């Protein structure tokens, strides 16, 4: 099932664009001074990616809450986007209620559940996406709606629409190459602990890949960002460990100082890790490049699950956690 969902990512993006174009949104009473996106896991990672993709174009700050609470600055001038695929994420529901109490402009992205019920009760804007799938397999739906919501509220322009359409075309045309590259990366990661690096404004991509390896491949790994890791983690590379495989996400037009750092880092790390693999994005815009990285990483996660002989869909330990919490 998960492999099929990954295969259909470009189709999901196309459907998500149609949903966004048809969404019935309303203008708030007050001028928006800041944005807060509330969501966790597969429903929250879109916010992490979005905040970096719009950092140079958004007219107001775009921040994220991945817990039970919202920042003190939230008020009637805040746009709060509530993102929960199931509509029943308890942390996000708590954030939603707090935002409503503070008279924020609340917009929901969900497939139903309690969040849809509250949106109906309070007459809040709500974009419905198709349900019945693992939240992590629906990033195309949720992330796309965030762009549309920001655009409707005049926080970003509408160039994202053409960029998303170009991303769909890129993923479809490059499908075989993406799968081939994913297979090559999977071979490097077999029986290893992945160490994921990316550069500034690509942390959301690194986090997404880490989370997909956690949930789909059922393995532990970690990520860090260049240049930040040059001020701490690099010092930790002091002992040879053949269980570690390094993967670095990069752009062809990467800032030259970051590329210089990457080369120096590789000179240090190569003495201690089993392998170092550089992965370069494709596409012309930041959105195209992000969608390429996301799709490639998703493929690696399901291929690695296959190689390990495990079910990429099951998340029994998360269900166990939720059942325990429900009793408290």
């Amino acid at each position: 099932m998960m492999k099929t969902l990954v295969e259909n990512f470009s189709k999901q993006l196309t459907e998500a664009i149609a949903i966004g174009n048809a969404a019935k949104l309303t203008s708030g009473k007050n001028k928006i001074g800041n944005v807060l996106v509330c969501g966790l896991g597969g429903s929250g990672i879109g916010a992490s990616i979005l905040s970096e993709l719009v950092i140079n174009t958004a007219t107001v700050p775009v921040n994220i809450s991945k817990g039970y609470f919202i920042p003190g600055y939230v008020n009637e001038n805040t746009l709060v986007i509530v993102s929960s695929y199931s509509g029943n994420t308890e942390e996000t529901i708590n954030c939603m209620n707090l935002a409503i109490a503070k008279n924020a402009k609340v917009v929901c992205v969900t497939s139903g559940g309690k969040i849809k019920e509250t949106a109906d009760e309070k007459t809040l804007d709500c974009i419905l996406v198709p349900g019945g799938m693992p939240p992590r397999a629906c990033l195309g739906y949720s992330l796309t709606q965030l762009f549309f919501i920001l655009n409707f509220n005049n926080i970003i322009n509408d160039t994202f629409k053409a960029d998303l359409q170009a991303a769909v075309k890129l993923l479809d045309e490059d499908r075989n190459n993406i799968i081939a590259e994913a297979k090559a990366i999977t071979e490097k990661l077999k029986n290893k602990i992945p160490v994921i690096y990316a550069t500034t404004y690509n942390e959301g991509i690194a986090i997404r890949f880490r989370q997909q390896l956690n949930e789909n491949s059922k393995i532990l790994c970690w990520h860090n960002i260049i240049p930040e890791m040059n001020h701490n983690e690099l010092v930790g590379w002091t002992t040879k460990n053949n269980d570690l495989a390094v993967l670095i996400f990069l752009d062809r037009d990467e800032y030259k100082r970051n590329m210089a750092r990457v080369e120096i880092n590789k000179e240090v790390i190569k003495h201690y890790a089993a392998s170092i693999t550089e992965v370069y994005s494709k596409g012309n815009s930041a959105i195209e490049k992000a969608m390429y990285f996301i799709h490639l990483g998703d493929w690696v996660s399901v291929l690695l699950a296959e190689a390990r002989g495990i079910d990429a869909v099951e998340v029994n330990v998360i269900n166990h956690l939720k059942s325990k919490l429900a009793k408290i």
Side-chain angles (χ1 to χ4, degrees):
M1 176 184 175
M2 187 61 70
K3 191 173 183 179
T4 300
L5 291 170
V6 171
E7 287 176 334
N8 291 334
F9 182 59
S10 66
K11 293 179 182 178
Q12 182 182 129
L13 286 174
T14 298
E15 186 178 353
I17 293 168
I19 292 171
N21 279 320
K24 299 292 189 285
L25 299 175
T26 61
S27 299
K29 297 178 182 178
N30 304 304
K31 181 178 176 60
I32 300 300
N34 49 71
V35 178
L36 180 70
V37 187
C38 303
L40 292 92
S43 300
I45 186 58
S48 299
I49 296 169
L50 173 87
S51 66
E52 294 178 321
L53 288 174
V54 305
I55 197 166
N56 293 316
T57 57
T59 57
V60 299
V62 178
N63 297 316
I64 308 162
S65 173
K66 294 190 176 184
Y68 287 95
F69 303 105
I70 59 177
Y73 64 73
V74 173
N75 58 27
E76 65 274 5
N77 298 112
T78 303
L79 169 63
V80 176
I81 305 174
V82 176
S83 179
S84 169
Y85 181 71
S86 68
N88 295 314
T89 310
E90 66 171 71
E91 302 97 320
T92 309
I93 290 171
N94 199 63
C95 287
M96 180 182 186
N97 291 331
L98 292 172
I100 292 171
K102 289 191 134 188
N103 297 314
K105 170 63 176 176
V106 177
V107 182
C108 306
V109 179
T110 185
S111 68
K114 294 179 181 178
I115 285 178
K116 172 63 166 55
E117 292 175 7
T118 301
D120 289 343
E121 178 188 337
K122 302 288 185 180
T123 321
L124 305 174
D125 288 352
C126 185
I127 301 179
L128 283 178
V129 297
M133 292 167 277
R136 63 189 182 278
C138 296
L139 175 62
Y141 288 129
S142 59
L143 174 55
T144 300
Q145 305 322 310
L146 301 184
F147 284 113
F148 275 96
I149 294 167
L150 293 190
N151 176 242
F152 178 85
N153 287 278
N154 299 311
I155 294 163
I156 62 171
N157 61 34
D158 62 0
T159 57
F160 74 92
K161 295 181 182 179
D163 291 343
L164 285 172
Q165 294 285 6
V168 170
K169 186 171 184 268
L170 170 65
L171 298 184
D172 286 342
E173 291 180 349
D174 213 43
R175 180 180 184 278
N176 292 336
N177 290 331
I178 291 172
I179 295 173
E181 185 174 9
K183 288 179 178 178
I185 294 171
T186 300
E187 287 299 316
K188 292 286 188 70
L189 299 186
K190 277 183 184 178
N191 303 313
K192 304 294 181 185
I193 300 172
V195 181
I196 306 159
Y197 292 135
T199 53
T200 308
Y201 302 147
N202 279 318
E203 184 169 14
I205 299 299
I207 294 172
R208 165 66 175 187
F209 185 48
R210 171 171 60 78
Q211 291 176 344
Q212 291 295 82
L213 292 178
N214 293 155
E215 289 196 78
N216 290 341
S217 312
K218 311 296 188 289
I219 62 173
L220 292 174
C221 53
W222 81 80
H223 85 276
N224 213 324
I225 299 302
I226 298 167
E228 169 62 22
M229 61 82 66
N230 289 171
H231 297 262
N232 34 68
E233 184 169 310
L234 188 61
V235 183
W237 286 99
T238 58
T239 305
K240 179 70 175 178
N241 189 338
N242 284 321
D243 291 332
L244 301 180
V246 174
L247 190 75
I248 309 175
F249 288 104
L250 294 167
D251 289 330
R252 296 287 178 191
D253 55 353
E254 189 65 61
Y255 179 54
K256 64 180 182 179
R257 298 293 294 179
N258 275 341
M259 282 306 301
R261 288 176 179 273
V262 169
E263 292 304 315
I264 298 168
N265 290 346
K266 285 162 54 183
E267 283 297 314
V268 174
I269 295 170
K270 71 180 183 181
H271 299 292
Y272 306 110
S275 65
I276 301 175
T277 304
E278 295 175 64
V279 182
Y280 285 89
S281 63
K282 292 185 181 180
N284 296 314
S285 69
I287 288 177
E288 283 182 78
K289 293 173 182 178
M291 295 304 115
Y292 178 85
F293 273 149
I294 289 166
H295 194 44
L296 176 63
D298 286 0
W299 265 113
V300 172
S301 71
V302 296
L303 291 175
L304 191 56
E306 280 188 357
R308 300 188 70 230
I310 58 174
D311 181 1
V313 175
E314 75 87 0
V315 284
N316 293 337
V317 69
I318 294 178
N319 295 332
H320 171 73
L321 169 68
K322 290 180 178 179
S323 69
K324 288 285 188 179
L325 286 170
K327 298 175 182 177
I328 298 175

